[in-house]
Amino acid sequence: MTHEKFGEKDFQTIIGNLLRYGVWVSLSVAFIGGIVYLMHHGNDIEDYSVFKENDRNIFEVISAVYNGVIQGNGESLIFFGVILLFLTPVLRVLLSLFSFLLEKDYLYVGITLIVIFIILVSVSLGFSH
């Protein structure tokens, strides 16, 4: 019995599948959320003359979305689908980091860590005022 090493091709397959299925799952969740939302609010008339700003921090938003998804809230399902869509390429970057670590390609490990840092900073600043 030969013991094969987990290689770059394996990571490329995993990353490709992550991107492919991540997009489909996130779109499916958002689509189902849209159907649920329209079933409950299809006849509502929205007032777009007033913009309602959200002053909650990221933890409050995630908690509200989680609770809404558990309750089957259409808006929360749509937002969860958007979060999944956002997380798909972020997970791809994290998988790339492990791939570069296994290959001992430290230049790309450094670049990938910088990208992860930029993502974390932009998400953190995006939810704080």
Side-chain angles (χ1 to χ4, degrees):
M1 175 185 257
T2 60
H3 192 279
E4 290 187 28
K5 209 173 164 184
F6 195 75
E8 181 181 350
K9 187 174 181 179
D10 298 320
F11 260 110
Q12 294 305 322
T13 302
I14 292 170
I15 289 171
N17 286 336
L18 170 72
L19 292 173
R20 183 178 304 113
Y21 297 123
V23 168
W24 279 110
V25 167
S26 62
L27 291 177
S28 298
V29 169
F31 183 74
I32 291 168
I35 291 171
V36 170
Y37 180 80
L38 288 175
M39 286 173 44
H40 294 103
H41 302 282
N43 295 324
D44 292 358
I45 297 174
E46 289 292 329
D47 179 18
Y48 293 111
S49 63
V50 178
F51 177 74
K52 300 171 201 155
E53 188 173 354
N54 187 348
D55 287 338
R56 299 183 295 181
N57 68 37
I58 189 167
F59 300 110
E60 292 172 335
V61 171
I62 290 172
S63 175
V65 169
Y66 174 77
N67 291 329
V69 167
I70 297 299
Q71 296 169 2
N73 179 294
E75 281 179 282
S76 296
L77 284 167
I78 293 169
F79 198 72
F80 183 61
V82 172
I83 290 171
L84 288 175
L85 189 62
F86 171 76
L87 286 178
T88 299
V90 173
L91 289 174
R92 185 237 185 270
V93 171
L94 289 172
L95 277 176
S96 296
L97 176 66
F98 292 115
S99 173
F100 296 139
L101 281 169
L102 282 177
E103 295 171 17
K104 295 182 169 80
D105 193 343
Y106 298 115
L107 173 64
Y108 283 105
V109 167
I111 292 170
T112 306
L113 286 172
I114 291 170
V115 170
I116 291 169
F117 176 74
I118 290 170
I119 291 170
L120 289 173
V121 168
S122 64
V123 168
S124 298
L125 293 177
F127 277 97
S128 64
H129 296 282

